[in-house]
Amino acid sequence: MGPFIARLSAAIALICFSHVGRAARQIIFRAHLEVATQELRFDETLDGGAKERYKSFIEKHGVDPLNPQTEVVEALQQTGPLGDNIRVFPYMLVLSKREYEEVIRKGAEQRGRALARFFEDIILGKGRALSPKGFISEKSLNRIFHDEGWTIESVRDLWKGASSRQISFVYGPDLVRRPDGKWVVLEDNVGPIGGVGDIDQVQKAHWQAFSNSGARHIPAATEEFISAISFLARAHGVSPNQILAITDISKDQDAAVKESPSYRKTIDMEDYRRRKFFEDLGLKMAEKIDGEALRLVENFALSFVLNFHTLGDAHDVYELYSRHFAKQGKFLLNAPATEILSNKALLPYVDQMIRFYLSEEPLLPSQETEVIDSRWAVSLPGKVIKKANGSQGKDVIILDNQIGGDFDRIDRFVLNQRAFDRMHPSRSSIWVVQPFVPMSTMATPMGRYTVDLRPHTYVANPDMIHVSSIPWGRTSPLKGSGLNNVSQGAYELAVTLFDCAAGMDALTLLPGGKK
């Protein structure tokens, strides 16, 4: 579509929004939806060699991951296997190990390294990305930094005296599979990302339920989180007694959890699972980012602080980083200001980062993403609109899913954002738009469910990166909201890696798509 046609289409749609009314808009959007929903989706249980893979899995383990015994479903779905409000999907995704190792794992490492190199270049280097031969303007980048509460110069001041070895963060791209079988990245998540404390427990719960139903050849329990922390300690050359782990559990909440089993069923206890891992590793812990934590950092002879939470308004911690870490060569995970790398307005540039810094083609390309002005939001049927600094599925509107339904929400979204932009022009938020991706699905006795994966990636520095040996998965009903966020009610999905005997897995998907 040429630029003139695109502008004309947007103008016509905006006129419809302003003057024709809700009924006319519903007709326009329904017509678009009828075309969009005719697009086929990749079936994770049938396509790309999956049918043969599931058959071989059943032969080896004696259990059908897509149709397990009733007691398995009950154990996983009805009893809350993690002890809190997290729901575990009772059916397992069996993914090609070859595909995970060659495409997803290597692709996540590639993106994590490119993001770290970008941060290094902009904050500690010469800013080559901003040069005429680079790929982003300083104006565009400063707008992204501002969206996260920073400027380029303020971050450079914070990191003055630091080295690239201190660029440490946890990274997790959100991956979905397109109908052509290729994986794309919908979002890059950096910082206190979800799933790192749950991935092992979900696997354990699933295989325990299989074992109780008579399954064979149960694999050893995964220890992804502990393996990751051990990797980070080795990468930074520190021992456990030199590490301080900061958790975000208040004493009041801790008391409520201990005293009331029913209370545990109402909250997400991933923080507690992380704390248990810290205890198992023998780490020193501070329960909150407060005066106690600051005193521990001041007085404790540590080299490495683990923080899996958003620092938020804890400016004292940033100041402490500048005073003690940057100049003394110590480490903080997640390092200050690296959360900027999560901003969705950077997505259009990540593929270029890979080519620019690594001289490689992306193994996991970004989904097409464009920064937009919020006033055009309603003119984009068939698109997904997101706040660039949003998280947990908030501030996301999937226009296809609003057809004949919540048009009031779209109206409020547009009008409220316009009002905010007029009242606070210097704080105007960035919004992005992406084409709607018909995510791959699993066919189960509960119906068709969409799939998205997140390979947890631990960046110790731009040269040393560890990617989890299995991905964290999420799933929700195909006819649901379209949001696969656990905070929005999605299930956590157990993923196992399995390949058939030689020659049987010939349809495994590699970077070129279907083979």
Side-chain angles (χ1 to χ4, degrees):
M1 180 183 294
F4 174 76
I5 299 298
R7 288 195 296 271
L8 180 62
S9 300
I12 292 172
L14 186 61
I15 291 171
C16 289
F17 170 72
S18 302
H19 302 289
V20 178
R22 180 173 287 103
R25 283 186 283 133
Q26 287 178 327
I27 293 173
I28 294 170
F29 285 144
R30 278 202 189 95
H32 175 86
L33 181 63
E34 288 176 3
V35 175
T37 52
Q38 292 175 6
E39 192 168 10
L40 296 176
R41 293 174 182 259
F42 189 96
D43 190 328
E44 298 288 352
T45 62
L46 293 174
D47 298 331
K51 186 174 182 180
E52 293 80 5
R53 195 159 53 248
Y54 274 94
K55 180 180 178 181
S56 295
F57 181 95
I58 294 169
E59 291 174 352
K60 177 177 180 179
H61 294 290
V63 62
D64 187 347
L66 294 176
N67 191 24
Q69 297 179 15
T70 301
E71 55 265 32
V72 172
V73 176
E74 291 177 349
L76 293 169
Q77 190 175 27
Q78 299 176 11
T79 60
L82 302 191
D84 57 6
N85 68 351
I86 294 298
R87 302 192 302 166
V88 176
F89 199 54
Y91 311 103
M92 179 181 281
L93 173 64
V94 180
L95 189 69
S96 165
K97 182 175 182 180
R98 181 184 176 204
E99 180 183 20
Y100 183 72
E101 293 291 341
E102 295 298 320
V103 181
I104 296 177
R105 202 173 187 184
K106 289 182 178 180
E109 179 180 351
Q110 182 189 58
R111 288 182 74 91
R113 178 168 286 110
L115 288 167
R117 291 292 183 204
F118 174 68
F119 191 89
E120 176 187 24
D121 176 32
I122 297 298
I123 304 306
L124 301 176
K126 297 180 179 180
R128 292 191 300 126
L130 305 175
S131 71
K133 294 184 178 180
F135 51 85
I136 187 171
S137 70
E138 187 167 356
K139 180 180 178 180
S140 297
L141 187 57
N142 242 329
R143 188 184 178 199
I144 294 170
F145 271 59
H146 189 269
D147 199 42
E148 298 289 342
W150 299 94
T151 66
I152 295 175
E153 288 306 316
S154 66
V155 178
R156 285 173 176 168
D157 287 343
L158 179 66
W159 280 75
K160 192 172 295 182
S163 75
S164 61
R165 293 182 62 248
Q166 293 162 274
I167 301 175
S168 297
F169 55 84
V170 186
Y171 166 61
D174 287 342
L175 308 178
V176 298
R177 200 197 294 267
R178 299 185 317 204
D180 64 2
K182 296 180 180 178
W183 294 97
V184 294
V185 177
L186 289 185
E187 298 180 9
D188 286 309
N189 304 284
V190 172
I193 65 176
V196 294
D198 285 357
I199 185 171
D200 295 314
Q201 302 305 307
V202 171
Q203 295 287 329
K204 180 179 178 181
H206 225 111
W207 282 106
Q208 183 62 53
F210 281 166
S211 178
N212 293 341
S213 69
R216 306 183 299 267
H217 307 299
I218 303 299
T222 59
E223 293 186 335
E224 294 298 330
F225 189 67
I226 291 178
S227 296
I229 301 305
S230 299
F231 160 78
L232 291 166
R234 291 193 306 273
H236 290 304
V238 300
S239 59
N241 63 3
Q242 294 175 291
I243 299 176
L244 174 69
I246 299 177
T247 66
D248 195 27
I249 303 171
S250 69
K251 293 179 180 178
D252 290 342
Q253 185 181 18
D254 207 18
V257 166
K258 291 177 180 177
E259 294 171 7
S260 174
S262 60
Y263 176 70
R264 293 197 289 270
K265 293 289 186 179
T266 68
I267 63 172
D268 179 349
M269 292 182 60
E270 186 174 7
D271 290 341
Y272 289 83
R273 288 186 278 279
R274 277 195 294 254
R275 185 173 69 173
K276 178 64 166 61
F277 292 137
F278 293 152
E279 291 173 347
D280 291 345
L281 287 167
L283 308 186
K284 179 70 176 177
M285 288 185 292
E287 298 297 348
K288 282 185 70 67
I289 300 174
D290 55 15
E292 177 191 1
L294 295 178
R295 285 192 298 276
L296 282 167
V297 174
E298 290 272 16
N299 302 322
F300 190 59
L302 60 90
S303 295
F304 190 19
V305 173
L306 292 171
N307 171 52
F308 283 88
H309 301 274
T310 303
L311 295 180
D313 293 327
H315 297 296
D316 289 345
V317 175
Y318 285 124
E319 183 182 347
L320 197 66
Y321 180 89
S322 178
R323 228 173 36 239
H324 290 269
F325 288 76
K327 295 179 181 178
Q328 296 182 23
K330 296 186 178 182
F331 306 97
L332 176 67
L333 185 93
N334 293 279
T338 52
E339 70 272 10
I340 292 166
L341 301 173
S342 283
N343 195 284
K344 298 172 188 64
L346 270 181
L347 269 173
Y349 304 101
V350 178
D351 290 0
Q352 297 176 69
M353 291 180 198
I354 293 170
R355 299 182 182 103
F356 189 79
Y357 296 112
L358 310 182
S359 300
E360 298 171 356
E361 284 300 307
L363 292 171
L364 295 173
S366 303
Q367 170 64 350
E368 178 186 340
T369 305
E370 182 181 357
V371 176
I372 61 166
D373 188 311
S374 62
R375 67 175 178 269
W376 296 107
V378 78
S379 72
L380 299 165
K383 306 289 185 178
V384 180
I385 297 157
K386 304 176 181 180
K387 196 173 183 180
N389 62 5
S391 62
Q392 298 184 334
K394 301 172 184 175
D395 297 313
V396 173
I397 291 184
I398 303 173
L399 292 184
D400 276 350
N401 280 16
Q402 305 298 329
I403 309 308
D406 196 2
F407 263 83
D408 284 337
R409 183 182 175 209
I410 297 177
D411 292 347
R412 289 195 301 272
F413 162 77
V414 175
L415 296 175
N416 290 344
Q417 190 59 37
R418 286 179 183 173
F420 181 88
D421 289 350
R422 284 196 301 270
M423 293 174 63
H424 308 281
S426 64
R427 294 170 53 199
S428 179
S429 297
I430 304 176
W431 294 81
V432 300
V433 62
Q434 298 174 326
F436 178 77
V437 180
M439 292 186 284
S440 62
T441 62
M442 295 174 62
T444 75
M446 290 170 55
R448 296 188 72 82
Y449 276 69
T450 60
V451 171
D452 94 1
L453 302 180
R454 179 182 292 174
H456 293 130
T457 305
Y458 298 82
V459 178
N461 57 59
D463 294 316
M464 301 186 71
I465 299 174
H466 169 82
V467 183
S468 58
S469 64
I470 53 173
W472 183 54
R474 298 174 295 183
T475 187
S476 59
L478 174 60
K479 295 185 178 181
S481 68
L483 299 175
N484 267 10
N485 303 84
V486 172
S487 59
Q488 303 294 329
Y491 288 93
E492 294 198 16
L493 172 66
V495 183
T496 191
L497 305 179
F498 188 89
D499 280 332
C500 304
M504 291 185 63
D505 207 32
L507 296 180
T508 295
L509 294 172
L510 291 175
K514 292 185 178 181
K515 293 186 73 176

